[in-house]
């Protein structure tokens, strides 16, 4: 990437922080289950992996599941049929769940609309693109470590560089190439510049069929950036978002430490046979160390080679000949299951609170992590943060829609307005807490907009049969009450 930053410096972009991308790479490792704290080195320079719950990925999956729990209904004010076709062909909604998860663990997700296989004609006023049988509009999704914001105004990324890696056949060899795509807002609209650099030596190359530079003649960008809806406290963040767990690293680490303690109790909790040295002998063996050098070490040989892990040697200073202790005796350690479960649950509560899910979002039962449904429905932190981020994702999707419409306009459909209204209605249901749902349903019943049966089904989760039965029981009780009143 140094090649890219040097090129951008030559174009006048001198204030880009390269250090921020180390945070993003760290978050990616945690999401992959490769957090730096998971490898512990022992006193004899051996490493052993810690047990982990992998909650860095789990919280991001749950975040994406929440945001995507209600379908995205997208409607364009003027060119809706064309937009729906482009969304389908570009698989925007199909890829949305994974993109939201990417946004969660890296803090940022980007999507670029591109025109592929168009016929290019050069005129004195620029280039004209024309559709042919192979032409298609596609979207390319990019992670936070591929996005380099160049100009930011009021928190919005205006000018942006997108970097991706490709393999190209160069001088009869397949080589790694950086593809740099610059989107810069000029007086007439966005100017897009395409550059290709050989990773090996930084040589710039030309690629057939790709314009070096062109102007879209629109101030609507061909890229759309989505960010976690929370203020990024990391300095020099380049205007990028913070990971969902970016300020919860300590909580993730503590959770793994507690869970590792749980696992080690079981691993080390098996029966141990303690044996006096007099019943063993010492032999030497050659081994190869981590540097490839052959060395010699001593090893203990036990009376039997069956279940060697059950034996543990101790010296005569512990079992004295003058004592009445046998040469071999058992040690059966206690398993602290209850204490460990409490510790894991406490660590889970702290983590869920820090990532915005509120406390008691997760329940640790029988070694498994489950979401506590009742706690979710009454969890205002979870609901409020979910609603905020759903709105952020809506804006990201609207940006993709406008970029797709702009591509169609660039292909000759002059009547298209890429700035037209794109509507994604706010959803009702899971992203509202139960008190809000109940109050809205109550108002709908009083206004005659919802039946009592529907009310019972929505608010109390009854089946249709249960709701009908309940309403009949209420009606029967009312009739009994009327009889008692009339009989007085």
């Amino acid at each position: 990437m140094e090649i890219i930053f040097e090129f951008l410096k030559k174009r006048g972009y001198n204030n880009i922080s390269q250090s921020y991308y180390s945070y993003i790479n760290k978050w990616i490792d945690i999401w992959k289950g490769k957090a730096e704290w998971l490898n512990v080195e022992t006193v004899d320079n051996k490493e052993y992996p810690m047990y982990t719950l992998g909650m860095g990925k789990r919280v991001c999956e749950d975040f994406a599941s929440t945001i995507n729990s209600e379908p995205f209904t997208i409607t364009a004010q003027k060119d809706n049929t064309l937009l729906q076709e482009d969304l389908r062909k570009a698989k925007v909604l199909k890829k949305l769940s994974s993109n939201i998860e990417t946004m969660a663990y890296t803090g940022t997700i980007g999507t670029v609309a591109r025109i592929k296989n168009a016929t290019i004609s050069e005129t004195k006023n620029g280039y004209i693109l024309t559709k042919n049988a192979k032409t298609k509009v596609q979207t390319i999704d990019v992670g936070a470590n591929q996005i380099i914001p160049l100009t930011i105004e009021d928190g919005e990324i205006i000018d942006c560089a997108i970097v991706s890696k490709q393999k190209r056949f160069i001088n009869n060899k397949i080589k790694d190439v950086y593809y740099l795509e610059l989107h810069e807002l000029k007086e007439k609209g966005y100017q897009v510049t395409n550059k290709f650099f050989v990773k090996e030596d930084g040589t710039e190359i030309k690629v057939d069929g790709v314009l070096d530079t062109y102007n879209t003649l629109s101030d609507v960008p061909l890229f759309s950036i989505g960010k976690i809806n929370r203020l990024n406290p990391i300095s020099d963040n380049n205007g990028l978002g913070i990971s969902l767990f970016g300020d919860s690293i300590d909580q993730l680490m503590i959770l793994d430490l507690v869970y590792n303690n749980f696992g080690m109790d079981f691993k080390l909790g098996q029966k141990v046979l303690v044996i006096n040295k007099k019943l063993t002998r010492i032999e030497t063996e050659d081994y190869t160390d981590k540097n490839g050098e052959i060395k010699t070490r001593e090893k203990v040989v036990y009376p039997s080679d069956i279940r060697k892990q059950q034996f543990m040697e101790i010296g005569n200073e512990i079992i004295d000949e003058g004592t009445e202790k046998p040469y071999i005796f058992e040690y059966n350690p206690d398993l602290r299951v209850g204490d460990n479960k409490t510790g894991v649950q406490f660590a889970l509560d702290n983590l869920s609170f820090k990532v915005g899910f509120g406390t008691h979002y997760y329940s640790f039962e029988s070694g498994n992590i489950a979401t506590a449904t009742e706690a979710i429905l009454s969890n205002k932190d979870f609901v409020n943060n979910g609603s905020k981020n759903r709105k952020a994702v809506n804006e990201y999707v609207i940006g993709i829609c406008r970029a797709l419409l702009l591509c169609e306009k660039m292909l000759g459909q002059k009547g298209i307005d890429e700035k037209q209204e794109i509507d994604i209605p706010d959803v009702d249901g899971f992203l509202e807490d139960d008190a809000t749902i109940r109050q809205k349903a109550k108002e709908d019943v009083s206004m005659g907009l919802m039946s009592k049966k529907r009310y019972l089904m929505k608010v109390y989760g009854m089946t249709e049969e249960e709701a009908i039965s309940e309403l009949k029981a209420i009606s029967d009780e009312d009739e009994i009450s009327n009889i008692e009143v009339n009989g007085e």
Side-chain angles (χ1 to χ4, degrees):
M1 289 286 284
E2 191 63 36
I3 300 166
I4 302 301
F5 289 110
E6 283 299 319
F7 175 82
L8 293 174
K9 282 182 182 179
K10 292 177 182 177
R11 290 182 71 98
Y13 298 109
N14 300 309
N15 298 319
I16 303 170
S17 170
Q18 297 184 45
S19 63
Y20 187 72
Y21 295 92
S22 64
Y23 288 97
I24 297 171
N25 292 330
K26 181 179 180 180
W27 299 333
I28 292 172
D29 283 343
I30 292 172
W31 175 79
K32 288 180 176 179
K34 297 179 180 179
E36 58 186 8
W37 63 78
L38 290 175
N39 289 317
V40 180
E41 193 169 287
T42 61
V43 291
D44 56 355
N45 295 323
K46 292 182 179 179
E47 287 189 355
Y48 72 89
M50 285 174 52
Y51 294 107
T52 176
L53 281 170
M55 289 302 293
K57 179 165 176 54
R58 175 62 188 269
V59 295
C60 295
E61 289 175 347
D62 290 339
F63 176 88
S65 178
T66 299
I67 302 303
N68 210 31
S69 61
E70 295 286 341
F72 285 77
T73 304
I74 304 167
T75 307
Q77 187 179 46
K78 300 176 184 176
D79 302 288
N80 190 52
T81 301
L82 178 62
L83 176 61
Q84 298 304 324
E85 184 67 11
D86 281 346
L87 289 170
R88 183 187 65 80
K89 288 181 177 179
K91 301 178 182 178
V92 171
L93 294 180
K94 188 175 182 179
K95 298 186 294 181
L96 189 55
S97 183
S98 60
N99 284 353
I100 295 172
E101 184 175 344
T102 301
M103 183 178 79
Y105 70 82
T106 65
T108 311
I109 182 67
T111 297
V112 186
R114 292 176 182 165
I115 299 171
K116 192 172 182 180
N117 299 326
T119 302
I120 304 172
S121 304
E122 188 174 1
T123 69
K124 63 179 182 179
N125 296 320
Y127 293 96
I128 295 176
L129 302 180
T130 310
K131 272 187 177 182
N132 58 57
K134 295 182 179 179
T135 304
K136 64 179 180 179
V137 177
Q138 62 180 188
T139 57
I140 306 298
D141 302 316
V142 291
N145 53 358
Q146 298 175 259
I147 301 170
I148 306 176
L150 304 175
T151 306
I152 303 164
E153 294 180 5
D154 196 24
E156 183 181 358
I157 298 172
I158 304 300
D159 299 331
C160 184
I162 307 293
V163 185
S164 57
K165 290 181 181 179
Q166 299 181 350
K167 288 190 179 294
R168 294 276 177 180
F169 197 68
I170 303 170
N171 296 329
N172 298 321
K173 290 184 180 179
I174 297 177
K175 293 188 177 182
D176 290 324
V177 172
Y178 285 121
Y179 171 31
L180 174 64
E181 195 176 356
L182 277 85
H183 298 257
E184 300 168 293
L185 185 59
K186 304 293 184 179
E187 185 177 347
K188 291 184 178 180
Y190 268 96
Q191 179 176 294
V192 180
T193 304
N194 297 304
K195 295 290 181 181
F196 296 85
F197 302 92
V198 178
K199 181 182 177 183
E200 186 179 52
D201 55 15
T203 304
E204 184 177 349
I205 61 172
K206 300 291 183 181
V207 174
D208 292 339
V210 179
L211 293 176
D212 183 65
T213 183
Y214 63 91
N215 197 300
T216 66
L217 304 178
S218 173
D219 59 3
V220 170
L222 287 174
F223 64 87
S224 182
I225 305 295
K227 296 187 288 185
I228 290 283
N229 196 353
R230 39 195 308 209
L231 198 62
N232 191 342
I234 301 173
S235 59
D236 298 327
N237 57 53
N238 293 340
L240 299 172
I242 184 173
S243 167
L244 179 67
F245 53 73
D247 57 357
S248 307
I249 305 298
D250 287 348
Q251 285 68 35
L252 281 167
M253 182 172 63
I254 290 170
L255 176 58
D256 280 343
L257 288 171
V258 175
Y259 185 68
N260 182 67
N261 192 65
F262 199 166
M264 292 302 291
D265 265 16
F266 281 94
K267 184 175 182 178
L268 303 177
Q270 59 184 338
K271 178 192 296 183
V272 176
L273 297 180
V274 183
I275 184 170
N276 190 280
K277 279 187 176 180
K278 290 183 178 181
L279 300 182
T280 68
R281 72 175 187 274
I282 304 296
E283 292 182 354
T284 60
E285 66 175 1
D286 293 334
Y287 74 100
T288 303
D289 68 7
K290 62 183 180 180
N291 297 319
E293 297 180 9
I294 298 176
K295 296 185 177 180
T296 302
R297 62 186 173 194
E298 294 182 341
K299 71 172 182 177
V300 180
V301 180
Y302 297 98
S304 170
D305 61 359
I306 301 174
R307 296 299 297 252
K308 286 182 180 179
Q309 67 268 31
Q310 290 185 338
F311 290 94
M312 168 183 169
E313 62 170 306
I314 57 176
N316 284 336
E317 67 275 7
I318 298 177
I319 297 184
D320 198 298
E321 292 180 357
T323 68
E324 297 181 356
K325 289 185 178 179
Y327 282 115
I328 300 176
F329 63 90
E330 294 182 0
Y331 170 63
N332 294 289
D334 294 329
L335 296 177
R336 300 166 296 171
V337 176
D339 291 340
N340 280 316
K341 284 181 65 176
T342 301
V344 172
Q345 185 62 60
F346 177 76
L348 280 170
D349 289 345
N350 277 293
L351 174 63
S352 65
F353 170 73
K354 281 301 294 288
V355 300
F357 292 175
T359 55
H360 310 303
Y361 181 85
Y362 294 110
S363 176
F364 184 68
E365 293 293 338
S366 303
N368 295 314
I369 302 294
T371 52
T373 305
E374 291 183 5
I376 293 172
L377 295 177
S378 59
N379 186 336
K380 285 191 174 294
D381 284 342
F382 172 78
V383 170
N384 291 339
N385 285 311
S387 297
K388 280 196 312 182
N389 283 296
R390 172 76 184 218
K391 288 179 171 62
V393 172
N394 285 352
E395 291 301 315
Y396 158 67
V397 174
I398 289 171
I400 297 174
C401 293
R402 289 186 171 143
L404 290 171
L405 290 172
L406 176 57
C407 285
E408 294 289 355
K409 183 177 181 179
M410 291 168 61
L411 285 169
Q413 301 203 44
K414 301 298 183 183
I416 291 178
D417 176 13
E418 67 273 21
K419 298 180 183 179
Q420 66 187 267
E421 189 71 26
I422 308 291
D423 182 47
I424 303 179
D426 289 334
V427 292
D428 183 16
F430 189 26
L431 293 181
E432 292 183 333
D433 61 274
D434 52 358
T436 302
I437 292 173
R438 182 173 299 191
Q439 181 59 35
K440 283 186 176 180
K442 184 178 179 181
E443 292 171 359
D444 287 345
V445 171
S446 65
M447 294 171 63
L449 301 175
M450 180 186 293
S451 68
K452 292 180 180 179
K453 180 182 75 173
R454 175 62 180 160
Y455 176 87
L456 293 175
M457 293 170 65
K458 184 177 181 68
V459 173
Y460 293 101
M462 293 184 182
T463 64
E464 185 174 4
E465 291 76 13
E466 289 172 339
I468 292 173
S469 177
E470 183 68 20
L471 289 172
K472 185 177 184 306
I474 294 171
S475 178
D476 291 344
E477 287 180 1
D478 287 343
E479 289 181 6
I480 293 172
S481 298
N482 289 334
I483 293 172
E484 288 177 350
V485 170
N486 293 333
E488 288 181 352

